[in-house]
Amino acid sequence: MKNYRLSHLEELEAESIFVLRETFAQFDNPCILFSGGKDSIVVTQLAVKAFAPANIPFTLLHIDTGHNFEETLLFRDQLVEELGVKLIVGSVEASINSGKVAEEKGIYASRNRAQSVTLLEMIEKHQFDAAIGGARRDEEKARAKERFFSHRDDFGQWDPKNQRPELWNIFNGKKQMGEHFRVFPISNWTELDIWQYIQQENIALPSLYFTHEREIVRRGDQLLANSPFIQLRDDELVTKERVRFRTIGDLTITGAIESEAHSIEDIIKEVATAKDTERGNRADDQRSESSMEDRKREGYF
C-alpha cells in the first residue's frame, strides 16, 4: 500500500482546521475578526471547510474605521450574503462621537489605533470569549510572539510574557471571568503560502489586490490612495498610477505598490521575489519600532 504524503499547503490547511475546530470545542461564543483582507478571507474559507456541510458556527466581526476602501465593504457584504453568516459591525466613528476615544489630528492622523477601543467594546457587548484573527507570525516581530491561543486579560490587554505553552498542539483555553482569547489559525503561514492557497482553492478577493489605476498621493516612500480622509501637505500632488495593495486596512495608512500583477499567478511571482516586507508600507507600523506591540498590548488585532 502506497503511503500518501501531505503537501506543504495540505499540512498548513489541516493545522488551521484543527485550530478552528478546537476553538469551537473550547469556547462558548467565538467570532472571526473579518477585515475584508486576504488573510481574514482565507480564515473564513478554512472555517467553511472545517465545518462543512454545516454553516460556519462563528459570527463575523468587522471593526469599521469609517475610512475603508469601498471595494472592501462591497466584497464583505457579498461574502456574508453568499455564506449566510451573521455579521456584526463595530463603528470607530461611533466610539469617537461618544467620546470614548479621541480622533487624531494633523497630516499623519489615522483611526487605526482607535480600533482597539471599538474592538474591546464589541467583544464585551456581545460576550465573545474568543476572537479568531488572520495574523501570521511572518508579518511583524510582535505577531511572531503570538501563540495559536493568545490570552487577553479582563482589560483586553496582551502580555507576551504571560502566554500558555502549546506543546504537541495542546491548547489551553481556560480563562477567568471577563478574559478572552485571540486565536490565530494561520500563524505558521507565510504571505506566499496564502497566495498559493488562494490560487489552489480559487478564492475570490477584492479587486484592490490586483493592478488597477488609482489616484495616489506620494508621501515619502509610501503611495497612499487619495481620499477625503487624507490631509495633503503643500508639496504633495495627486497623480494617477498603476498600483495594487499587498495588505488592506484603513485608507489613511495602507500603502500601495506599483505593479503590473493582473492575476494570482502574477502576484505569486511578485511576492516570491519581493525584497520588502508585506507590511513595510504600512504607516501605522512605522511610527516606532515597537508600534505594533504597543497597540497589541492595548487590545489591537
Side-chain angles (χ1 to χ4, degrees):
M1 183 176 177
K2 188 176 180 179
N3 290 329
Y4 178 72
R5 182 172 182 145
L6 295 177
S7 70
H8 174 61
L9 289 181
E10 287 173 330
E11 288 182 350
L12 288 173
E13 179 189 70
E15 178 182 66
S16 298
I17 287 175
F18 174 74
V19 173
L20 287 165
R21 290 172 176 168
E22 278 292 300
T23 304
F24 179 68
Q26 293 198 37
F27 297 99
D28 296 321
N29 188 26
C31 68
I32 292 178
L33 299 175
F34 189 83
S35 67
K38 65 184 185 309
D39 299 311
S40 66
I41 292 169
V42 166
V43 168
T44 303
Q45 293 298 335
L46 286 164
V48 171
K49 274 200 171 187
F51 300 99
N55 289 335
I56 297 175
F58 308 127
T59 298
L60 299 191
L61 173 61
H62 179 216
I63 304 303
D64 182 359
T65 65
H67 294 171
N68 292 296
F69 290 94
E70 290 183 11
E71 296 94 329
T72 305
L73 298 181
L74 178 62
F75 182 90
R76 178 201 69 188
D77 294 341
Q78 290 174 338
L79 184 65
V80 166
E81 183 177 356
E82 174 190 325
L83 297 180
V85 295
K86 181 180 179 182
L87 171 69
I88 292 175
V89 178
S91 171
V92 174
E93 182 90 36
S95 297
I96 293 170
N97 291 340
S98 66
K100 294 175 181 175
V101 63
E103 182 157 26
E104 293 182 357
K105 305 295 182 182
I107 297 288
Y108 300 102
S110 87
R111 291 180 172 181
N112 195 53
R113 195 160 196 148
Q115 292 182 87
S116 300
V117 173
T118 309
L119 172 60
L120 294 176
E121 283 181 351
M122 300 306 290
I123 287 174
E124 182 176 2
K125 177 180 179 180
H126 297 280
Q127 295 296 294
F128 293 123
D129 54 356
I132 304 164
R136 308 186 321 270
R137 292 185 180 127
D138 76 319
E139 289 182 273
E140 203 274 341
K141 59 186 178 182
R143 285 182 166 169
K145 299 178 183 179
E146 291 280 19
R147 302 286 198 269
F148 283 106
F149 277 24
S150 183
H151 175 262
R152 298 297 194 270
D153 65 18
D154 53 354
F155 292 101
Q157 296 174 322
W158 174 62
D159 180 0
K161 296 180 180 179
N162 187 27
Q163 298 296 313
R164 283 89 184 270
E166 293 180 340
L167 303 175
W168 305 292
N169 281 345
I170 298 175
F171 304 131
N172 180 1
K174 186 176 180 180
K175 62 190 182 306
Q176 301 297 324
M177 181 70 70
E179 298 176 344
H180 73 276
F181 277 78
R182 306 291 170 83
V183 178
F184 302 108
I186 59 171
S187 288
N188 288 334
W189 298 51
T190 66
E191 182 186 9
L192 187 58
D193 294 329
I194 291 291
W195 281 109
Q196 289 174 335
Y197 189 75
I198 288 169
Q199 180 185 45
Q200 174 183 289
E201 301 296 311
N202 194 28
I203 296 173
L205 294 172
S207 59
L208 294 165
Y209 282 110
F210 303 94
T211 296
H212 57 287
E213 190 172 76
R214 195 177 204 97
E215 287 191 348
I216 291 295
V217 177
R218 291 185 179 269
R219 179 166 291 176
D221 295 333
Q222 285 191 304
L223 304 179
L224 297 175
N226 185 39
S227 76
F229 313 121
I230 293 181
Q231 181 181 337
L232 298 180
R233 298 194 305 240
D234 293 338
D235 61 340
E236 289 178 332
L237 299 176
V238 177
T239 60
K240 280 194 173 182
E241 308 289 348
R242 295 185 62 75
V243 298
R244 76 174 191 88
F245 294 87
R246 287 176 74 180
T247 66
I248 295 178
D250 191 292
L251 264 166
T252 61
I253 48 99
T254 304
I257 60 170
E258 294 178 292
S259 174
E260 289 297 333
H262 296 279
S263 66
I264 293 178
E265 290 82 0
D266 293 339
I267 292 174
I268 288 173
K269 291 176 184 177
E270 191 175 82
V271 170
T273 58
K275 295 181 180 179
D276 296 326
T277 63
E278 182 180 2
R279 293 183 64 93
N281 58 357
R282 289 285 294 253
D284 50 330
D285 289 352
Q286 296 176 10
R287 294 193 173 192
S288 73
E289 289 188 3
S290 63
S291 57
M292 172 65 85
E293 183 159 332
D294 293 340
R295 295 198 308 276
K296 286 177 69 64
R297 286 177 183 271
E298 297 170 358
Y300 189 71
F301 303 96

